[in-house]
Amino acid sequence: MTTPLRFHRRFLDSLPGDADARSVSRQVHGALWSRVMPTAVASPRMLAWSRSLAVELGIEARMESQDAATVLGGNATWDGMEPYAANYGGHQFGNWAGQLGDGRAITLGELEGPDGRVHELQLKGAGPTPYSRRADGRAVLRSSIREFLCSEAMHALGVPTTRALSLIATGDAVVRDMFYNGNAKAEPGAIVCRVAPSFLRFGNFELPSSRGDHALLQQLTDFAIAQFFPQLGAPSRSVYEALMHEVAVRTARLIAQWQAVGFVHGVMNTDNMSLLGLTIDYGPYGWVDNFDFGWTPNTTDAQHKRYAFGNQPGVGMWNVARLCDALLPLIGDDERSGESALSAYESAYADEARAQFSKKLGIRIGDDAGDGELVQRLFAWLQKHGVDMAIFFRSLAQVLRMDELRELPSCVRAAFYGEPAKDAVEDGLSWLRQWRMRARSEASDVELAVTSLDRANPTFVLRNWLAQEAIDAASAGDASKIHRLQRVLQRPYDEQSGEDDLAQKRPDWAKDKPGCSALSCSS
Ligand code: AMP
Ligand code: MG
């Protein structure tokens, strides 16, 4: 016997739902959600699940039962689940796209965990909803593996993110034209159950605002404040301003953390921006191998590079501006509040980036020009020579420990793709010497400094080629690489014996292979 689950109905009870019960694609007005059941799949099978998350949710025992794959594959519900899809809009690649909504995400319910916290459980790929437009509401195995692994890896790195409870193979085929070149083919389908305190996005606010439905906008905003930002107080004009400020700051901090770990989201549309400042909607994301601010993993963005690594901080701010625009009707259209939220974004970003890179370099980076120059010189060098980001930063602890630096240490050489050029060696050595002197002078104890550098610079990140290897194996019926990555990425900052091959730079075969260097949005 498993204990009964406690589901809440915050969203359903506090916010207006869609009166129309049909699940056909359509525009939904005056409502923030629509009831919709997952569509049953052929033979749901659990490929992987997160024990640590299941424990947080208090459902570890249930996850061990056969029942779990049935429910998390969308073929049944646990008592208290009342599935619905949320209605939202968004700016895609800079343009207002109108209503989007959960086209293939279905929330099963809001589950209270043993510690009293409430978590939204949502299936991604569970079949069509009123928001599916012309698409099928399904997800393929490759993108589901990527979302499952990366959500949990991000959490282990300490970066705010939605979580992933389970990865289910559906047994159904899903047809996708992966390269958008007229070669559609059947691929295995899958469903991820993702979990967050809330999946509210900037786009949930933009849609009613764009339609001039200010009453609905206010209802949603008041709900969000009461549920997720109660510390701001009872809704009022100044509290709406405080909300803009708070979301701006959380978003800025999140993106500074992405920059520090080398994560490129790939599709920072406003429908993919979490109100809570979580990483959300893992699609054609990528991890920086060779350092390159101009890199985007998303083939759809290859030309304009709107969402390239170096553009993320600016795009985050642009997105916050869209949220502020959406909330303006609640504060008498006073644009100064939006401007003040954007300056809060800028300073929060600068502070968080400074804090992150202070930890990564083991020095206290201050405002003075010399500090800025030290960091900028490093970025310029990494960029010019395409040095592997994770390996380089991880090598710093070893460099700090060395007695002297006569030549470029082998642990740093290991971060080069190919033989380093003469200027790469000279400039690298000169930077490392300056940095090392500084880091040593600030360290009260070298061994302690080494440990804290290692706590700030992960050995293991979900490089694209690693995810792709797990995908290739799983597509051939072997899920063991998923499990191995899942296990190793739970402790990204620890050296783990026998796992060195997962900490290597991108191998040559992966340089131009789809899924490793570039990904399409097709998922
Ligand atoms: P994304 O680019 O994944 O954030 O998706 C943008 C919008 O398209 C969201 O409203 C999604 O719910 C919707 N969408 C993406 N893929 C599908 C699909 N296969 N079926 C239905 N809706 C989808
Ligand atoms: Mg999305």
Side-chain angles (χ1 to χ4, degrees), residues 178-223:
M178 183 155 116
F179 301 107
Y180 299 121
N181 61 3
N183 289 315
K185 72 175 185 57
E187 297 188 46
I191 296 177
V192 169
C193 177
R194 50 187 192 176
V195 177
S198 166
F199 287 94
L200 280 176
R201 304 137 189 277
F202 292 5
N204 293 79
F205 299 82
E206 289 179 278
L207 184 63
S209 186
S210 75
R211 290 171 167 172
D213 192 344
H214 299 157
L216 193 62
L217 172 68
Q218 183 169 356
Q219 237 184 321
L220 176 63
T221 311
D222 291 355
F223 168 81

Side-chain angles (χ1 to χ4, degrees), residues 277-350:
L278 309 171
T279 311
I280 188 174
D281 270 10
Y282 291 87
Y285 67 81
W287 291 81
V288 171
D289 292 312
N290 51 301
F291 192 92
D292 180 3
F293 280 132
W295 180 61
T296 173
N298 181 354
T299 50
T300 312
D301 195 26
Q303 198 187 349
H304 299 293
K305 297 190 184 296
R306 179 181 174 86
Y307 299 140
F309 182 40
N311 291 346
Q312 296 190 119
V315 168
M317 182 155 131
W318 190 89
N319 288 340
V320 168
R322 300 291 74 75
L323 175 68
C324 292
D325 287 349
L327 297 178
L328 276 187
L330 304 182
I331 52 166
D333 288 319
D334 184 349
E335 287 177 9
R336 280 170 308 182
S337 319
E339 284 156 20
S340 127
L342 296 185
S343 358
Y345 178 99
E346 280 187 306
S347 48
Y349 181 82

Side-chain angles (χ1 to χ4, degrees), residues 70-269:
T70 316
V71 171
L72 300 171
N75 285 14
T77 51
W78 283 323
D79 279 352
M81 285 178 166
E82 292 179 74
Y84 65 89
N87 190 10
Y88 55 83
H91 277 85
Q92 297 187 316
F93 295 93
N95 304 306
W96 175 242
Q99 177 184 303
L100 296 166
D102 286 333
R104 56 167 165 178
I106 297 180
T107 291
L108 295 175
E110 299 178 275
L111 178 63
E112 182 179 319
D115 63 0
R117 285 184 303 144
V118 179
H119 308 260
E120 197 176 325
L121 266 54
Q122 182 176 84
L123 299 185
K124 182 165 172 180
T129 77
Y131 309 101
S132 300
R133 289 169 283 162
R134 278 186 294 277
D136 58 6
R138 293 298 186 189
V140 291
L141 179 62
R142 58 183 157 81
S143 65
S144 305
I145 292 174
R146 287 168 50 82
E147 174 140 19
F148 176 78
L149 286 175
C150 203
S151 309
E152 292 301 285
M154 210 60 153
H155 174 71
L157 282 166
V159 181
T161 179
T162 62
R163 305 279 309 266
L165 174 65
S166 57
L167 171 67
I168 306 274
T170 60
D172 286 327
V174 173
V175 176
R176 289 288 180 272
D177 181 359
M178 183 155 116
F179 301 107
Y180 299 121
N181 61 3
N183 289 315
K185 72 175 185 57
E187 297 188 46
I191 296 177
V192 169
C193 177
R194 50 187 192 176
V195 177
S198 166
F199 287 94
L200 280 176
R201 304 137 189 277
F202 292 5
N204 293 79
F205 299 82
E206 289 179 278
L207 184 63
S209 186
S210 75
R211 290 171 167 172
D213 192 344
H214 299 157
L216 193 62
L217 172 68
Q218 183 169 356
Q219 237 184 321
L220 176 63
T221 311
D222 291 355
F223 168 81
I225 292 168
Q227 293 299 335
F228 308 114
F229 301 90
Q231 70 283 7
L232 299 181
S236 69
R237 182 181 159 144
S238 68
V239 168
Y240 297 136
E241 290 171 331
L243 177 70
M244 290 181 181
H245 186 279
E246 176 69 18
V247 178
V249 167
R250 287 197 194 195
T251 306
R253 289 191 185 136
L254 173 69
I255 293 170
Q257 294 183 63
W258 288 355
Q259 301 307 99
V261 294
F263 174 77
V264 187
H265 183 285
V267 207
M268 291 175 66
N269 293 333

Side-chain angles (χ1 to χ4, degrees), residues 42-62:
S43 50
R45 190 163 57 86
M46 185 81 76
L47 292 181
W49 58 283
S50 165
R51 187 173 294 274
S52 66
L53 179 53
V55 168
E56 272 186 50
L57 297 172
I59 56 170
E60 202 184 356
R62 278 177 194 262

